[in-house]
Amino acid sequence: MPQVYRTLRVAPTDNGVLSVVIDAPPMNLIGPELVRDLVRLLGALESGEETRVMVLESADPEYFVPHVDLTKVAEYTAEAAKAGGPEDASLGMLWHKLSELPVVTIAKIRGRARGAGSELALACDMRFAARENAILGQIEVGCGALPGAGGVQHLARLMGRGQAMEAILGSDDFGAELAERYGWINRALPDAELDAFVARLARRVASFPADAVRSAKRLLNELTMPGPDAIRADARRFRQLVVSDAAQDRTAALFAHGLQTRGPLELDLGDRLGTL
């Protein structure tokens, strides 16, 4: 029986490519419903038998995934635990499971991918973004915490120490061109060319012998991926910091200015963190 999703539009395209569109109004926050659907999706993809490549994108042109729903942390954490058990009840370990799929995963980014939304994209094997409108950011330090779902691990490996320090400690927004230059994404492409480029690449990879693709991905993961213990340690530290007085005060101030509503604060969150 096909899976039924509330926050994802899932459709096979052709030749082993699966299209997954995040559609979780009002702005694709990571909450329990989205996490529940992602757990189901990853479970369906674990065999990698029918799907060779998955392309992940957003139905919302302004928001890929802006960040977690800070009012529902316990709820989405409980849903994430269903993918790996109570010991791995974190988004970081769920995103790690995404990285380990036999399926090749491509994030196609339009709009804002911040916090755990950026980390979701980082867990994918490749990332391509629209030059005109994609924005990436790790906002956690500016909110009094740290990236707890793989952001530290991935960005340090992709960018190197100094640039990862800038991205994580600065908590600022990165446009697509700068994100490309720093290694956050593979390429920044004109919005009008993004769909065709990603579709061609996905079909191309899906057309190659499956064993060769899976073996190459597995070897590259062994060379470049953080281990699960590092992901778990980051998740524990995030949980400690996010309940601190400093983080609670910063978060309360952000909610007072419109956090988690469509408006100026969320659109320019990286910049606004520096003036809070």
Side-chain angles (χ1 to χ4, degrees):
M1 178 181 295
Q3 291 279 1
V4 177
Y5 304 100
R6 292 183 57 189
T7 63
L8 303 174
R9 286 188 272 147
V10 179
T13 54
D14 55 14
N15 300 318
V17 178
L18 187 73
S19 169
V20 178
V21 180
I22 301 170
D23 190 4
M27 53 190 295
N28 285 355
L29 292 170
I30 297 173
E33 295 84 5
L34 179 55
V35 172
R36 184 183 305 123
D37 281 347
L38 289 169
V39 168
R40 291 172 178 164
L41 175 67
L42 299 192
L45 294 175
E46 279 184 314
S47 69
E49 292 178 0
E50 295 182 6
T51 299
R52 304 285 190 85
V53 179
M54 178 184 76
V55 177
L56 181 67
E57 60 183 306
S58 169
D60 190 325
E62 290 188 320
Y63 297 100
F64 177 77
V65 175
H67 49 77
V68 299
D69 185 339
L70 288 165
T71 69
K72 298 181 179 178
V73 175
E75 292 93 331
Y76 75 64
T77 300
E79 292 296 333
K82 296 176 182 178
E87 295 300 316
D88 287 334
S90 70
L91 286 181
M93 288 306 294
L94 182 59
W95 293 176
H96 189 69
K97 185 173 183 178
L98 167 65
S99 299
E100 292 187 318
L101 288 175
V103 174
V104 174
T105 54
I106 300 174
K108 183 167 63 175
I109 304 170
R110 291 182 171 96
R112 289 139 186 85
R114 297 190 183 108
S118 163
E119 291 169 314
L120 172 60
L122 286 166
C124 292
D125 300 322
M126 292 173 270
R127 290 156 297 286
F128 301 93
R131 185 175 296 155
E132 297 90 337
N133 55 55
I135 293 173
L136 295 98
Q138 292 298 155
I139 55 175
E140 292 87 349
V141 169
C143 297
L146 57 69
V152 172
Q153 304 296 328
H154 289 297
L155 291 181
R157 288 165 170 80
L158 291 168
M159 294 182 175
R161 182 174 181 270
Q163 290 179 330
M165 289 279 190
E166 178 186 348
I168 292 169
L169 302 187
S171 297
D172 210 345
D173 286 338
F174 278 57
E177 289 187 350
L178 182 59
E180 178 191 55
R181 193 154 69 244
Y182 274 42
W184 205 321
I185 60 174
N186 291 65
R187 299 194 200 192
L189 295 154
D191 188 281
E193 299 175 14
L194 180 62
D195 292 335
F197 178 91
V198 171
R200 178 183 180 276
L201 177 62
R203 289 194 300 267
R204 181 179 174 88
V205 173
S207 74
F208 295 151
D211 286 345
V213 172
R214 292 172 189 164
S215 295
K217 172 174 173 170
R218 185 167 55 250
L219 289 173
L220 286 165
N221 276 357
E222 290 173 1
L223 288 168
T224 61
M225 282 281 294
D229 287 345
I231 298 290
R232 292 182 185 115
D234 287 357
R236 286 194 298 270
R237 187 58 178 152
F238 171 81
R239 287 194 294 267
Q240 292 168 356
L241 286 171
V242 79
V243 298
S244 68
D245 290 342
Q248 293 296 303
D249 289 346
R250 298 280 292 182
T251 301
L254 288 167
F255 271 109
H257 285 84
L259 188 70
Q260 298 195 180
T261 60
R262 298 186 79 99
L265 179 77
E266 284 285 1
L267 289 173
D268 300 317
L269 185 55
D271 183 59
R272 296 286 291 274
L273 283 172
T275 61
L276 192 64

